[in-house]
Amino acid sequence: AISEPAATLRSSSVSFALIYNINVIGAVRLVQAFAPTMKAPDNPAFLFISSINGQMGAPGLSAYASSKGALDALTKTLALELAPSGIRVNAIAPASVDTPLLRSKFDNQPDPAGARAANVSRHRSVGSERRRMSPTSPCSSSPLKRHGSRAAFTRSMAARTWRAAERRSRHL
């Protein structure tokens, strides 16, 4: 993934296009290249790396956060489209990872230490809402069957997604 450490109003449309090309269109190209030859007996799957910021937003990283939100939507769509072929599509959404990209975001703030502390606090509030996924949960295994033939899929990205999947699984 790449990003431009800038607020939305200071980000260039060229940067947005480049970031979306890598973070979203790159996933599309990958699936288009490999999905046609993937076979169900081999337990095929795609796993994308999203970000908690795709759900929460990220001040100062609007292109990155919105591209990860787009990747989340793409993951859900692909899961529904590829489930009839037995291909699973999942994404994981880690919280902040100490990388040069994250450090540059903090360093570009008027108070880098304060920005880092606010980020940690923001992630802790989301982390307290999350539930631990069990190996038998509907979000961690093959696509679910609903109404006998239609496949439905959810993935474990954030607490809202988990709660929605839990509600759906009660109605199956």
PDB file of all heavy atoms in Angstrom, residues 145-162:
ATOM      1  N   LYS A 145     -24.005 -20.810   3.174  1.00  0.00           N
ATOM      2  CA  LYS A 145     -25.124 -21.065   2.284  1.00  0.00           C
ATOM      3  C   LYS A 145     -26.368 -20.494   2.945  1.00  0.00           C
ATOM      4  O   LYS A 145     -26.628 -20.712   4.108  1.00  0.00           O
ATOM      5  CB  LYS A 145     -25.319 -22.564   2.044  1.00  0.00           C
ATOM      6  CG  LYS A 145     -24.175 -23.200   1.314  1.00  0.00           C
ATOM      7  CD  LYS A 145     -24.236 -22.843  -0.131  1.00  0.00           C
ATOM      8  CE  LYS A 145     -23.128 -23.552  -0.874  1.00  0.00           C
ATOM      9  NZ  LYS A 145     -23.198 -23.367  -2.278  1.00  0.00           N
ATOM     10  N   ARG A 146     -27.139 -19.760   2.180  1.00  0.00           N
ATOM     11  CA  ARG A 146     -28.356 -19.177   2.714  1.00  0.00           C
ATOM     12  C   ARG A 146     -29.495 -19.533   1.783  1.00  0.00           C
ATOM     13  O   ARG A 146     -29.342 -19.466   0.576  1.00  0.00           O
ATOM     14  CB  ARG A 146     -28.186 -17.663   2.817  1.00  0.00           C
ATOM     15  CG  ARG A 146     -29.365 -16.983   3.456  1.00  0.00           C
ATOM     16  CD  ARG A 146     -29.074 -15.562   3.803  1.00  0.00           C
ATOM     17  NE  ARG A 146     -28.750 -14.785   2.619  1.00  0.00           N
ATOM     18  CZ  ARG A 146     -28.454 -13.501   2.658  1.00  0.00           C
ATOM     19  NH1 ARG A 146     -28.410 -12.882   3.799  1.00  0.00           N
ATOM     20  NH2 ARG A 146     -28.183 -12.853   1.565  1.00  0.00           N
ATOM     21  N   HIS A 147     -30.613 -19.899   2.322  1.00  0.00           N
ATOM     22  CA  HIS A 147     -31.790 -20.292   1.552  1.00  0.00           C
ATOM     23  C   HIS A 147     -31.462 -21.422   0.585  1.00  0.00           C
ATOM     24  O   HIS A 147     -31.994 -21.477  -0.511  1.00  0.00           O
ATOM     25  CB  HIS A 147     -32.381 -19.101   0.798  1.00  0.00           C
ATOM     26  CG  HIS A 147     -32.695 -17.942   1.686  1.00  0.00           C
ATOM     27  ND1 HIS A 147     -33.580 -18.014   2.730  1.00  0.00           N
ATOM     28  CD2 HIS A 147     -32.203 -16.685   1.709  1.00  0.00           C
ATOM     29  CE1 HIS A 147     -33.642 -16.840   3.347  1.00  0.00           C
ATOM     30  NE2 HIS A 147     -32.810 -16.025   2.759  1.00  0.00           N
ATOM     31  N   GLY A 148     -30.567 -22.320   0.981  1.00  0.00           N
ATOM     32  CA  GLY A 148     -30.286 -23.501   0.199  1.00  0.00           C
ATOM     33  C   GLY A 148     -29.258 -23.335  -0.895  1.00  0.00           C
ATOM     34  O   GLY A 148     -28.444 -24.198  -1.093  1.00  0.00           O
ATOM     35  N   SER A 149     -29.265 -22.235  -1.631  1.00  0.00           N
ATOM     36  CA  SER A 149     -28.345 -22.171  -2.764  1.00  0.00           C
ATOM     37  C   SER A 149     -27.561 -20.867  -2.874  1.00  0.00           C
ATOM     38  O   SER A 149     -26.510 -20.835  -3.462  1.00  0.00           O
ATOM     39  CB  SER A 149     -29.119 -22.394  -4.069  1.00  0.00           C
ATOM     40  OG  SER A 149     -30.053 -21.351  -4.248  1.00  0.00           O
ATOM     41  N   ARG A 150     -28.078 -19.797  -2.328  1.00  0.00           N
ATOM     42  CA  ARG A 150     -27.351 -18.532  -2.462  1.00  0.00           C
ATOM     43  C   ARG A 150     -26.249 -18.445  -1.416  1.00  0.00           C
ATOM     44  O   ARG A 150     -26.475 -18.713  -0.248  1.00  0.00           O
ATOM     45  CB  ARG A 150     -28.299 -17.342  -2.298  1.00  0.00           C
ATOM     46  CG  ARG A 150     -29.259 -17.212  -3.451  1.00  0.00           C
ATOM     47  CD  ARG A 150     -30.046 -15.953  -3.373  1.00  0.00           C
ATOM     48  NE  ARG A 150     -30.431 -15.677  -1.992  1.00  0.00           N
ATOM     49  CZ  ARG A 150     -30.951 -14.534  -1.604  1.00  0.00           C
ATOM     50  NH1 ARG A 150     -31.173 -13.592  -2.449  1.00  0.00           N
ATOM     51  NH2 ARG A 150     -31.264 -14.340  -0.354  1.00  0.00           N
ATOM     52  N   ALA A 151     -25.078 -18.071  -1.848  1.00  0.00           N
ATOM     53  CA  ALA A 151     -23.952 -17.968  -0.911  1.00  0.00           C
ATOM     54  C   ALA A 151     -23.867 -16.548  -0.386  1.00  0.00           C
ATOM     55  O   ALA A 151     -24.039 -15.591  -1.115  1.00  0.00           O
ATOM     56  CB  ALA A 151     -22.655 -18.337  -1.616  1.00  0.00           C
ATOM     57  N   ALA A 152     -23.624 -16.446   0.895  1.00  0.00           N
ATOM     58  CA  ALA A 152     -23.422 -15.136   1.510  1.00  0.00           C
ATOM     59  C   ALA A 152     -22.064 -15.162   2.205  1.00  0.00           C
ATOM     60  O   ALA A 152     -21.582 -16.205   2.601  1.00  0.00           O
ATOM     61  CB  ALA A 152     -24.526 -14.849   2.521  1.00  0.00           C
ATOM     62  N   PHE A 153     -21.472 -14.026   2.309  1.00  0.00           N
ATOM     63  CA  PHE A 153     -20.134 -13.982   2.884  1.00  0.00           C
ATOM     64  C   PHE A 153     -19.972 -12.732   3.729  1.00  0.00           C
ATOM     65  O   PHE A 153     -20.453 -11.670   3.401  1.00  0.00           O
ATOM     66  CB  PHE A 153     -19.112 -13.948   1.757  1.00  0.00           C
ATOM     67  CG  PHE A 153     -17.736 -13.637   2.227  1.00  0.00           C
ATOM     68  CD1 PHE A 153     -16.914 -14.636   2.694  1.00  0.00           C
ATOM     69  CD2 PHE A 153     -17.278 -12.339   2.224  1.00  0.00           C
ATOM     70  CE1 PHE A 153     -15.654 -14.351   3.149  1.00  0.00           C
ATOM     71  CE2 PHE A 153     -16.015 -12.038   2.677  1.00  0.00           C
ATOM     72  CZ  PHE A 153     -15.204 -13.057   3.130  1.00  0.00           C
ATOM     73  N   THR A 154     -19.279 -12.886   4.804  1.00  0.00           N
ATOM     74  CA  THR A 154     -18.844 -11.734   5.590  1.00  0.00           C
ATOM     75  C   THR A 154     -17.425 -11.990   6.023  1.00  0.00           C
ATOM     76  O   THR A 154     -16.933 -13.093   5.972  1.00  0.00           O
ATOM     77  CB  THR A 154     -19.710 -11.526   6.848  1.00  0.00           C
ATOM     78  OG1 THR A 154     -20.122 -12.772   7.329  1.00  0.00           O
ATOM     79  CG2 THR A 154     -20.895 -10.652   6.571  1.00  0.00           C
ATOM     80  N   ARG A 155     -16.713 -10.984   6.412  1.00  0.00           N
ATOM     81  CA  ARG A 155     -15.346 -11.172   6.856  1.00  0.00           C
ATOM     82  C   ARG A 155     -15.123 -10.386   8.134  1.00  0.00           C
ATOM     83  O   ARG A 155     -15.876  -9.490   8.465  1.00  0.00           O
ATOM     84  CB  ARG A 155     -14.363 -10.738   5.792  1.00  0.00           C
ATOM     85  CG  ARG A 155     -14.450  -9.237   5.575  1.00  0.00           C
ATOM     86  CD  ARG A 155     -13.609  -8.840   4.440  1.00  0.00           C
ATOM     87  NE  ARG A 155     -13.405  -7.440   4.409  1.00  0.00           N
ATOM     88  CZ  ARG A 155     -14.320  -6.496   4.487  1.00  0.00           C
ATOM     89  NH1 ARG A 155     -15.569  -6.779   4.674  1.00  0.00           N
ATOM     90  NH2 ARG A 155     -13.996  -5.240   4.411  1.00  0.00           N
ATOM     91  N   SER A 156     -14.111 -10.771   8.825  1.00  0.00           N
ATOM     92  CA  SER A 156     -13.852 -10.182  10.134  1.00  0.00           C
ATOM     93  C   SER A 156     -12.979  -8.960   9.993  1.00  0.00           C
ATOM     94  O   SER A 156     -11.787  -9.053   9.987  1.00  0.00           O
ATOM     95  CB  SER A 156     -13.180 -11.215  11.026  1.00  0.00           C
ATOM     96  OG  SER A 156     -11.991 -11.651  10.435  1.00  0.00           O
ATOM     97  N   MET A 157     -13.581  -7.803   9.888  1.00  0.00           N
ATOM     98  CA  MET A 157     -12.830  -6.570   9.699  1.00  0.00           C
ATOM     99  C   MET A 157     -12.948  -5.650  10.907  1.00  0.00           C
ATOM    100  O   MET A 157     -11.981  -5.087  11.333  1.00  0.00           O
ATOM    101  CB  MET A 157     -13.313  -5.829   8.463  1.00  0.00           C
ATOM    102  CG  MET A 157     -13.147  -6.593   7.187  1.00  0.00           C
ATOM    103  SD  MET A 157     -11.609  -6.348   6.344  1.00  0.00           S
ATOM    104  CE  MET A 157     -11.409  -4.607   6.328  1.00  0.00           C
ATOM    105  N   ALA A 158     -14.145  -5.464  11.392  1.00  0.00           N
ATOM    106  CA  ALA A 158     -14.338  -4.560  12.523  1.00  0.00           C
ATOM    107  C   ALA A 158     -15.556  -5.035  13.300  1.00  0.00           C
ATOM    108  O   ALA A 158     -16.292  -5.916  12.851  1.00  0.00           O
ATOM    109  CB  ALA A 158     -14.538  -3.123  12.038  1.00  0.00           C
ATOM    110  N   ALA A 159     -15.782  -4.453  14.440  1.00  0.00           N
ATOM    111  CA  ALA A 159     -16.873  -4.904  15.300  1.00  0.00           C
ATOM    112  C   ALA A 159     -18.220  -4.840  14.583  1.00  0.00           C
ATOM    113  O   ALA A 159     -19.038  -5.736  14.723  1.00  0.00           O
ATOM    114  CB  ALA A 159     -16.901  -4.053  16.567  1.00  0.00           C
ATOM    115  N   ARG A 160     -18.455  -3.802  13.801  1.00  0.00           N
ATOM    116  CA  ARG A 160     -19.741  -3.691  13.106  1.00  0.00           C
ATOM    117  C   ARG A 160     -19.936  -4.848  12.147  1.00  0.00           C
ATOM    118  O   ARG A 160     -21.030  -5.394  12.038  1.00  0.00           O
ATOM    119  CB  ARG A 160     -19.811  -2.370  12.331  1.00  0.00           C
ATOM    120  CG  ARG A 160     -19.951  -1.165  13.233  1.00  0.00           C
ATOM    121  CD  ARG A 160     -19.977   0.058  12.382  1.00  0.00           C
ATOM    122  NE  ARG A 160     -18.721   0.080  11.628  1.00  0.00           N
ATOM    123  CZ  ARG A 160     -18.066   1.160  11.278  1.00  0.00           C
ATOM    124  NH1 ARG A 160     -18.546   2.317  11.569  1.00  0.00           N
ATOM    125  NH2 ARG A 160     -16.942   1.093  10.622  1.00  0.00           N
ATOM    126  N   THR A 161     -18.891  -5.214  11.433  1.00  0.00           N
ATOM    127  CA  THR A 161     -18.994  -6.311  10.485  1.00  0.00           C
ATOM    128  C   THR A 161     -19.270  -7.617  11.209  1.00  0.00           C
ATOM    129  O   THR A 161     -20.102  -8.418  10.783  1.00  0.00           O
ATOM    130  CB  THR A 161     -17.707  -6.424   9.649  1.00  0.00           C
ATOM    131  OG1 THR A 161     -17.466  -5.161   9.033  1.00  0.00           O
ATOM    132  CG2 THR A 161     -17.834  -7.480   8.578  1.00  0.00           C
ATOM    133  N   TRP A 162     -18.580  -7.826  12.326  1.00  0.00           N
ATOM    134  CA  TRP A 162     -18.789  -9.049  13.101  1.00  0.00           C
ATOM    135  C   TRP A 162     -20.216  -9.119  13.616  1.00  0.00           C
ATOM    136  O   TRP A 162     -20.886 -10.142  13.506  1.00  0.00           O
ATOM    137  CB  TRP A 162     -17.790  -9.131  14.246  1.00  0.00           C
ATOM    138  CG  TRP A 162     -18.170 -10.197  15.232  1.00  0.00           C
ATOM    139  CD1 TRP A 162     -18.573 -10.022  16.511  1.00  0.00           C
ATOM    140  CD2 TRP A 162     -18.204 -11.600  15.005  1.00  0.00           C
ATOM    141  NE1 TRP A 162     -18.845 -11.224  17.099  1.00  0.00           N
ATOM    142  CE2 TRP A 162     -18.638 -12.214  16.186  1.00  0.00           C
ATOM    143  CE3 TRP A 162     -17.921 -12.406  13.905  1.00  0.00           C
ATOM    144  CZ2 TRP A 162     -18.783 -13.571  16.315  1.00  0.00           C
ATOM    145  CZ3 TRP A 162     -18.064 -13.774  14.042  1.00  0.00           C
ATOM    146  CH2 TRP A 162     -18.486 -14.334  15.230  1.00  0.00           C
TER     147      TRP A 162
END
